[in-house]
């Protein structure tokens, strides 16, 4: 797995060989061959790569809006021969469209935010946003075994844009990071 050794993720993986043990255990425990995994806020692809190895002939959709992370996602997909992993450079939200994301300095590349700029650094990037309901319809997905969201306080927008999919029972398990201090 290609990591930045000075990033928070990289340091944790170098120390323990694993990132976010609870989410790792959930992914490894729930997913089986043929399943569909949706990773909203894929970052460097750690969870997408784990899921790819579990779902075999299934599918992994890795949503990450930050352009600076796309080469890393592609490198990790290539290193792991994760042919069932599709990288989608888009945020998932309550409405389709465009927005800007504020980018955290390079040591915490997973912390892009759409609502409030960070105290340090002022870099911004224009991004695309898609509703999960529309994505599910476009791809004709009958079922998502596991939807993981890690989008720095924007999780409620993901849920708002997935109302139809949730109401139809197409998502078996929703694993959501919760950031009460940044909402």
């Amino acid at each position: 797995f290609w990591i930045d050794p000075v990033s928070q993720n990289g340091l944790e993986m170098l120390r323990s060989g694993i990132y976010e043990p609870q989410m790792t255990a959930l992914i490894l425990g729930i997913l089986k061959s043929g399943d569909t995994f949706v990773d909203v806020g894929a970052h460097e692809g750690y969870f997408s790569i784990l899921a790819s190895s579990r779902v075999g002939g299934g599918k992994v959709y890795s949503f990450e809006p930050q352009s600076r992370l796309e080469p890393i996602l592609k490198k990790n997909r290539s290193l792991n021969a994760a042919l069932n992993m599709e990288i989608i450079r888009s945020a998932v939200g309550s409405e389709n469209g465009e927005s800007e994301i504020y980018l955290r300095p390079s040591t915490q590349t997973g912390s892009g935010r759409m609502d409030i700029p960070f105290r340090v650094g002022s870099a911004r990037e224009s991004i695309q946003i898609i509703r999960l309901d529309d994505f599910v319809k476009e791809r004709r997905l009958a079922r998502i075994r596991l939807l993981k969201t890690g989008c720095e306080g924007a999780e409620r927008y993901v849920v708002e844009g997935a109302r139809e999919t949730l109401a139809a029972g197409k998502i078996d398990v929703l694993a959501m990071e919760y950031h009460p201090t940044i909402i």
Side-chain angles (χ1 to χ4, degrees):
F1 195 82
W2 193 92
I3 58 169
D4 180 347
V6 298
S7 73
Q8 179 183 351
N9 299 27
L11 288 172
E12 188 174 335
M13 288 178 65
L14 287 171
R15 281 188 203 123
S16 65
I18 194 169
Y19 182 69
E20 293 186 7
Q22 296 86 354
M23 187 67 75
T24 296
L26 179 70
I27 288 168
L28 295 176
I30 286 180
L31 295 175
K32 296 183 263 200
S33 185
D35 284 343
T36 297
F37 173 70
V38 176
D39 190 355
V40 176
H43 192 239
E44 295 172 349
Y46 176 77
F47 297 122
S48 291
I49 295 299
L50 285 179
S52 171
S53 69
R54 297 298 284 184
V55 303
K59 191 72 177 168
V60 173
Y61 297 101
S62 305
F63 287 90
E64 178 53 56
Q66 295 184 57
S67 63
R68 66 184 175 176
L69 292 172
E70 188 173 20
I72 298 166
L73 278 163
K74 287 180 177 178
K75 176 118 178 140
N76 284 324
R77 179 178 61 188
S78 175
L79 286 171
N80 290 277
L83 302 177
N84 58 357
M85 177 180 155
E86 182 178 342
I87 299 166
I88 302 150
R89 199 170 141 237
S90 177
V92 177
S94 58
E95 297 293 329
N96 294 325
E98 294 182 19
S99 186
E100 280 196 332
I101 188 169
Y102 296 97
L103 303 173
R104 186 88 130 167
S106 63
T107 58
Q108 186 53 294
T109 56
S111 294
R113 294 174 54 184
M114 293 191 302
D115 52 358
I116 303 166
F118 294 100
R119 291 183 199 148
V120 177
S122 60
R124 292 186 282 193
E125 178 176 15
S126 293
I127 61 167
Q128 294 293 312
I129 302 172
I130 187 169
R131 289 179 348 116
L132 191 62
D133 285 337
D134 295 324
F135 181 79
V136 167
K137 286 176 193 168
E138 288 171 11
R139 299 301 171 99
R140 297 182 178 159
L141 299 180
R143 178 177 162 257
I144 296 170
R145 176 66 178 137
L146 176 59
L147 167 63
K148 177 236 127 200
T149 67
C151 43
E152 307 305 309
E155 288 79 9
R156 69 182 173 135
Y157 302 117
V158 173
V159 172
E160 287 173 9
R163 288 178 192 226
E164 296 167 26
T165 304
L166 287 163
K170 291 185 175 187
I171 300 172
D172 294 340
V173 179
L174 172 59
M176 184 179 301
E177 293 180 4
Y178 177 62
H179 299 279
T181 59
I182 60 175
I183 293 178

